């Protein structure tokens, strides 16, 4: 089975711009969760989508949003980028209904200048 | 509230054992353990659910003490490949919240030949 894929792997953006990151889960998985990882704050939960609906949400500002498509692929959008948004963004997929272990993708390294 | 991991770092020789602890100030419903090597995504090791169910790799064992709100990861006969940062993540209450993980700060494990 193919693993979780994320695109792009690296991204450099300017403050004030917006960005969209993509995640394709493991085949058959219906849950996609997004995390932000920084040296200072560690791994922080952004949100989880299950069957196209946001099922859980973390404590991030409204500039962070996401969606999930009918094929379970998910996108995450960050508007009005700030320098502090520089981070590794990880998505994780899970079967989501009867089992909850999460499998992480390689991440997208976002640098905001 | 972020779970607290201890120790923050541990250095071992090949073949030695280690225990990593994860303590929560809130009731535990699920605990997820991951290992992350530098520059790579976290890799799933084990999930433990309230009620005793657990699933994970054969060579890894863990415990889940609901009363003490603690989980421990046991690494026996360590190998060089065990080196990395270990994270515990605690899930929310209820099945649909298992996917909303709050991660500890991580424990850096280094195994020397």
């Amino acid at each position: 089975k193919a693993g979780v894929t994320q695109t792009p792997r690296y991204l450099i953006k300017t403050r004030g711009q917006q960005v969209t990151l993509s995640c394709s889960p493991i085949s058959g998985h219906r849950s996609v969760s997004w995390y932000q990882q920084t040296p200072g704050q560690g791994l922080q939960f952004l949100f989880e989508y299950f069957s196209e609906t946001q099922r859980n949400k973390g404590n991030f500002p409204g500039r962070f949003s996401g969606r999930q498509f009918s094929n379970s692929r998910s996108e995450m959008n960050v508007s009005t980028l700030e320098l502090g948004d520089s981070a590794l963004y990880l998505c994780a997929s899970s079967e989501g209904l009867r089992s909850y272990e999460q499998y992480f993708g390689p991440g997208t390294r976002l640098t905001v200048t | 509230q972020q779970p607290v991991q201890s120790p923050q770092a541990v250095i071992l020789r090949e073949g030695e054992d280690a225990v990593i602890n994860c303590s929560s100030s809130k009731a535990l419903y699920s605990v997820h353990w991951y290992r992350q090597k530098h520059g790579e995504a976290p890799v799933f090791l084990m999930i433990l659910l309230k009620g005793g169910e657990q699933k994970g790799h054969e060579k890894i064992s863990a415990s889940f003490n609901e009363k003490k709100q603690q989980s421990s990861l046991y690494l026996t006969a360590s190998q060089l490949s065990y080196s990395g940062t270990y994270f515990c993540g605690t899930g929310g209450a209820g099945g649909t919240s298992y996917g909303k993980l709050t991660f500890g700060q991580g424990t850096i494990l280094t195994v020397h030949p």
Side-chain angles (χ1 to χ4, degrees), chain B residues 37-59:
Chain B
K37 294 182 182 283
H38 184 67
E40 299 180 11
V43 172
F44 169 76
L45 295 175
M46 178 155 286
I47 181 173
L48 303 102
L49 302 178
K50 185 176 179 178
E53 182 183 346
Q54 51 180 260
K55 191 191 302 186
H57 290 255
E58 289 177 3
K59 296 188 178 180

Side-chain angles (χ1 to χ4, degrees), chain A residues 37 56-57 100-102 105, chain B residues 34 36 41 44 55 96 99-100:
Chain A
Q37 187 173 33
N56 287 292
K57 190 176 186 309
Y100 300 95
E101 59 268 30
Q102 298 185 12
Chain B
Y34 291 85
Q36 185 176 31
F44 169 76
K55 191 191 302 186
T96 60
K100 181 179 179 179

